[in-house]
Amino acid sequence: MANKQPPCAGPAQDLASDCPVQPASADPAANPLKTTRRDFLRAGGMLSMSSLMGTAALMTQSDNANAATEWAEHFQKNYRLMTPEEKNEARLRLERRYSDEYGKKVAVDTTEAQPGMLMGYALNIRKCIGCRRCVHACVAENNQSRGTRPGEKIEWIQVLRMERGKFEQEKMNHGYPEGLGIQVGGNAYTPAGQVLEGQYRYNPEKVPEADATYMPIACMQCEKPPCVKVCPVRTTYREADGPVVIDYNWCIGCRMCMGACPYWARRINVTTPVLPKEEMNPVTHYLGNRPRMRGVVEKCHWCLQRSRHGRYPACVEVCPVGARKFGNLLDPQSEVSKILERKNVFRLKAELNTFPKFFYFYD
Amino acid sequence: MKKLATVSLILALCGGAFYAVSAAEKAADPAAAPKEAAPKAPVECFESRKGASEVTQREIKPGWPNVKCSPTTGAALWYGDPFDGTVPMGKMPQLDIPEGQAVIKPRSEKLALMPMCGTACHNGVGPTFTPPTLPKGKKPAPVPTMAAMVPDLANLQHGRGRIWCLDCHHTTQRNKLVDHYGDPVSFDQPQLLCGKCHGDKLRDWRDGIHGKRIGEFVSTGKKRWFTCTECHNPHNVQDGARNRGFVQLQPEPSPQLPRGMANADHEKLHAVGH
Ligand code: SF4
Ligand code: SF4
């Protein structure tokens, strides 16, 4: 394996994930000691494999191939520590397993980040009409659980409905606090919905409603993501091209990241995900929309399986008003760069210094 | 799963093995029945604006539809092929894109649905009635033939009474728009006309800030551009509760309720009394 490593000294190195100077976020795969550690682990695994495989097969009541897959998955490393060959093995393993499970040819992509790409997102808050098409496009694309029992329905995007505030003549002499007669302030203002305090389950006949504003939220793909800081097994991390991703195989379901995320972006599969065969999207990415298992956390990853191949995320494509914009922040000609240059933008909870790459803007 | 297995086991022991199997199958996949029926009737959904662009669902390869439609609202929810049914946009002033990288969905085919308009009157030269029924200039004048066909002609919202039919539509060519110099503009390129007044929007649209594009996001990538009229109805631009040029539509279903809650009324309670 060591002899297959591409030369790391040359300036032309780009996708070589094994190079110590890779521009990724502190890539642990760069650790030169990894070879020994992995070989040790694998050797240990191999010894006991033959004897335990029979047991595993008995326990899962399935054929040998499936058991072997499961067994191999137990010895799979953190995605960032895998060599390209190991990633390929993992990919083939998953493709076999998913194709079997969903009865169609499932592709698991492992395309790496491209140099010169830093994904960014912008959303026109004035345009959003609250139709929730983005929410459902996301579900269609990303293989979320769609059952009906509690916890079986997972959606990554939430659209907040916020009431508009207004000052009113009739409330001019309402004191504050109201009813106590102590006048420390006025109460003529009916407050507008505040950020992150709103209605998610609004269901009028038609949107947009005259008295409401809508604010979709999902993972903001922070540059300094608190979720990454707290993950005890380091299975969630920022990819070199921007998105914060999760290696679902290493997630232990501790939900630390869910608590750390200030944007309520993360969801956990408390049940075995319900994903009907015919609705399953067979084009997947290892770090993206491949089917998840029970007990792992998931969230928006900007449709990695699409965006790594240059395609817009699913939510961008279905928004009927064109409120959603996606592009390369490093390219001055991209839609997002033009928005940052020309429009008024803000980031949600900017005071937390998470530096989201998701911007809200308005005309 | 375990529970299911137990149930079927018990039933099987009672001698109802056949029923148990069919019940288990049904329970395992409750959505199967309606899904199977769906592909038979052609599913059609609308994209941005109802009546502007509809797509018919079809398989472009096995198990891969060109579009997925919402069963609730009939809206397009997912694109399997963003370039389905598109043609090159053609030249746009101040837009330097390689041929074929910008595509649009043509509207002209739809206009051919009303061929009779183009035979008798809007045939390129005008009708030969005496007295002439087609106004000569652009000055607003009552057009009785049209008033009968288009009921809201008299209270056209666009421009709040400042513009009328022939400011945008070509007098003699039914299938063409007209720009300020009297030159015909294709219905596939309404931006050439709309941008004459809404210049700021045209600039933003050209840069991808206003409006919608689907396809490849990189700035050099191939994109399907949505043109003005695919989202806005030029005749009732101020429709919609917010007067923002976008008509109201039915939203997609709301998220799951929190466990044990019968409705979402708790969301409407405010911490601050008012
Ligand atoms: S929005 Fe939440 S989940 Fe996404 S990167 Fe930031 S902290 Fe992590
Ligand atoms: S699809 Fe667009 S308009 Fe509809 S809720 Fe999402 S962002 Fe808002």
Side-chain angles (χ1 to χ4, degrees):
Chain A
M1 192 194 59
N3 55 358
K4 270 187 207 153
Q5 273 191 11
C8 292
Q13 59 92 9
D14 44 18
L15 291 180
S17 58
D18 281 5
C19 292
V21 280
Q22 220 235 345
S25 44
D27 189 356
N31 186 355
L33 287 178
K34 69 189 157 46
T35 320
T36 22
R37 205 170 129 244
R38 188 200 63 130
D39 285 354
F40 172 75
L41 252 181
R42 173 172 277 182
M46 284 298 210
L47 264 181
S48 47
M49 193 154 176
S50 49
S51 59
L52 279 172
M53 207 149 91
T55 329
L58 272 179
M59 279 163 66
T60 52
Q61 295 278 311
S62 58
D63 57 290
N64 256 14
N66 242 347
T69 307
E70 249 169 52
W71 183 250
E73 273 179 15
H74 276 296
F75 277 84
Q76 189 175 309
K77 287 196 293 191
N78 185 317
Y79 190 71
R80 276 191 295 173
L81 293 169
M82 286 190 208
T83 61
E85 297 88 70
E86 283 170 324
K87 284 181 183 171
N88 201 38
E89 270 170 38
R91 180 177 68 84
L92 293 173
R93 217 162 33 224
L94 286 172
E95 281 182 350
R96 233 178 296 126
R97 171 205 268 269
Y98 293 145
S99 302
D100 212 42
E101 199 174 330
Y102 294 99
K104 54 182 159 189
K105 181 95 197 56
V106 178
V108 180
D109 187 12
T110 50
T111 307
E112 306 274 338
Q114 306 292 313
M117 169 68 72
L118 184 64
M119 298 177 194
Y121 207 118
L123 191 148
N124 192 336
I125 191 86
R126 206 198 71 123
K127 289 242 164 69
C128 174
I129 58 169
C131 68
R132 287 203 198 95
R133 273 193 219 179
C134 46
V135 178
H136 292 264
C138 176
V139 172
E141 172 72 20
N142 288 307
N143 292 327
Q144 282 100 323
S145 173
R146 51 203 78 172
T148 45
R149 288 181 304 174
E152 272 181 356
K153 194 172 169 202
I154 291 181
E155 288 166 0
W156 293 346
I157 303 175
Q158 290 176 296
V159 186
L160 275 138
R161 174 191 188 272
M162 294 186 293
E163 286 166 3
R164 296 194 166 175
K166 53 180 181 294
F167 291 98
E168 283 158 304
Q169 172 78 41
E170 307 84 69
K171 295 176 81 183
M172 278 300 278
N173 47 15
H174 284 207
Y176 172 79
E178 217 167 315
L180 290 184
I182 311 161
Q183 191 77 26
V184 294
N187 219 352
Y189 182 60
T190 305
Q194 285 163 20
V195 168
L196 292 193
E197 182 196 282
Q199 300 159 16
Y200 298 97
R201 297 171 187 85
Y202 62 91
N203 210 358
E205 246 155 56
K206 299 226 159 155
V207 288
E209 299 149 280
D211 54 349
T213 311
Y214 304 92
M215 178 157 192
I217 54 170
C219 178
M220 305 281 157
Q221 319 294 357
C222 312
E223 275 297 273
K224 303 220 174 347
C227 55
V228 170
K229 287 184 201 164
V230 299
C231 180
V233 291
R234 304 229 168 153
T235 191
T236 185
Y237 59 98
R238 173 193 175 275
E239 279 276 286
D241 53 357
V244 171
V245 297
I246 304 164
D247 175 1
Y248 308 112
N249 276 56
W250 264 69
C251 177
I252 56 171
C254 69
R255 312 187 203 187
M256 295 280 278
C257 53
M258 292 175 73
C261 173
Y263 307 102
W264 309 342
R266 291 182 168 247
R267 310 276 180 276
I268 185 154
N269 287 286
V270 281
T271 63
T272 304
V274 180
L275 178 58
K277 282 180 184 169
E278 66 281 356
E279 284 179 35
M280 191 254 175
N281 178 7
V283 175
T284 72
H285 193 284
Y286 185 96
L287 297 169
N289 64 338
R290 68 183 168 105
R292 275 80 60 185
M293 34 299 202
R294 187 176 59 161
V296 304
V297 166
E298 58 184 65
K299 66 161 190 73
C300 161
H301 45 79
W302 282 349
C303 288
L304 220 58
Q305 66 283 356
R306 287 168 164 241
S307 52
R308 282 270 161 93
H309 297 283
R311 176 108 181 256
Y312 279 114
C315 49
V316 175
E317 291 201 339
V318 293
C319 179
V321 297
R324 292 173 167 268
K325 300 289 163 194
F326 186 78
N328 184 358
L329 289 167
L330 303 179
D331 173 7
Q333 295 305 313
S334 74
E335 293 164 17
V336 169
S337 299
K338 291 249 170 81
I339 287 165
L340 294 187
E341 177 193 313
R342 197 182 295 165
K343 299 288 177 187
N344 299 312
V345 301
F346 69 91
R347 303 199 258 201
L348 201 53
K349 295 192 180 181
E351 69 279 12
L352 297 178
N353 287 351
T354 50
F355 302 104
K357 291 187 290 297
F358 191 107
F359 300 88
Y360 293 92
F361 74 104
Y362 45 95
D363 283 329
Chain B
M1 249 6 259
K2 241 179 222 157
K3 215 187 237 167
L4 246 177
T6 327
V7 169
S8 46
L9 190 71
I10 292 167
L11 283 172
L13 284 175
C14 295
F18 172 73
Y19 288 109
V21 169
S22 57
E25 262 169 18
K26 258 187 213 137
D29 202 357
K35 282 280 133 44
E36 270 159 25
K40 275 170 199 144
V43 180
E44 192 175 78
C45 46
F46 69 102
E47 298 185 298
S48 275
R49 174 161 76 85
K50 244 184 198 150
S53 57
E54 261 80 21
V55 253
T56 310
Q57 193 180 328
R58 61 185 173 83
E59 295 221 324
I60 40 183
K61 51 186 183 209
W64 192 264
N66 59 341
V67 73
K68 282 186 188 166
C69 303
S70 162
T72 336
T73 64
L77 275 191
W78 181 88
Y79 287 95
D81 176 13
F83 308 124
D84 187 38
T86 56
V87 298
M89 180 161 72
K91 270 259 119 342
M92 267 289 296
Q94 292 181 50
L95 198 63
D96 202 18
I97 298 178
E99 181 69 20
Q101 291 297 87
V103 295
I104 51 133
K105 202 165 238 189
R107 271 194 79 204
S108 305
E109 302 151 16
K110 276 194 168 180
L111 302 169
L113 287 176
M114 296 173 80
M116 66 285 192
C117 306
T119 46
C121 305
H122 309 277
N123 52 7
V125 280
T128 46
F129 307 138
T130 33
T133 44
L134 230 52
K136 281 279 171 286
K138 276 193 162 191
K139 255 186 87 183
V143 191
T145 43
M146 289 310 293
M149 273 186 268
V150 189
D152 55 354
L153 191 71
N155 51 8
L156 184 73
Q157 290 174 2
H158 199 160
R160 295 191 174 88
R162 286 180 200 88
I163 62 170
W164 81 304
C165 318
L166 297 184
D167 285 315
C168 300
H169 289 277
H170 200 282
T171 320
T172 57
Q173 299 180 39
R174 160 75 181 85
N175 293 347
K176 290 280 191 224
L177 299 168
V178 68
D179 73 2
H180 287 185
Y181 303 110
D183 296 329
V185 172
S186 163
F187 266 94
D188 296 343
Q189 292 190 311
Q191 65 272 16
L192 294 176
L193 165 64
C194 306
K196 296 265 150 124
C197 295
H198 306 280
D200 56 334
K201 291 288 177 287
L202 179 69
R203 188 177 76 141
D204 279 357
W205 179 81
R206 228 167 21 212
D207 290 337
I209 300 174
H210 182 102
K212 172 175 172 175
R213 296 172 186 183
I214 66 178
E216 296 165 2
F217 74 80
V218 283
S219 50
T220 50
K222 178 177 176 180
K223 298 179 172 72
R224 172 183 163 199
W225 295 46
F226 280 64
T227 58
C228 315
T229 47
E230 276 178 83
C231 299
H232 306 287
N233 183 346
H235 298 123
N236 62 352
V237 272
Q238 280 142 39
D239 249 16
R242 288 200 295 177
N243 282 0
R244 289 284 165 79
F246 204 88
V247 288
Q248 288 182 297
L249 41 82
Q250 188 194 349
E252 298 296 324
S254 51
Q256 201 175 25
L257 284 165
R259 182 165 211 159
M261 285 210 180
N263 54 46
D265 288 351
H266 64 283
E267 287 185 345
K268 296 186 185 129
L269 300 176
H270 285 265
V272 185
H274 60 264

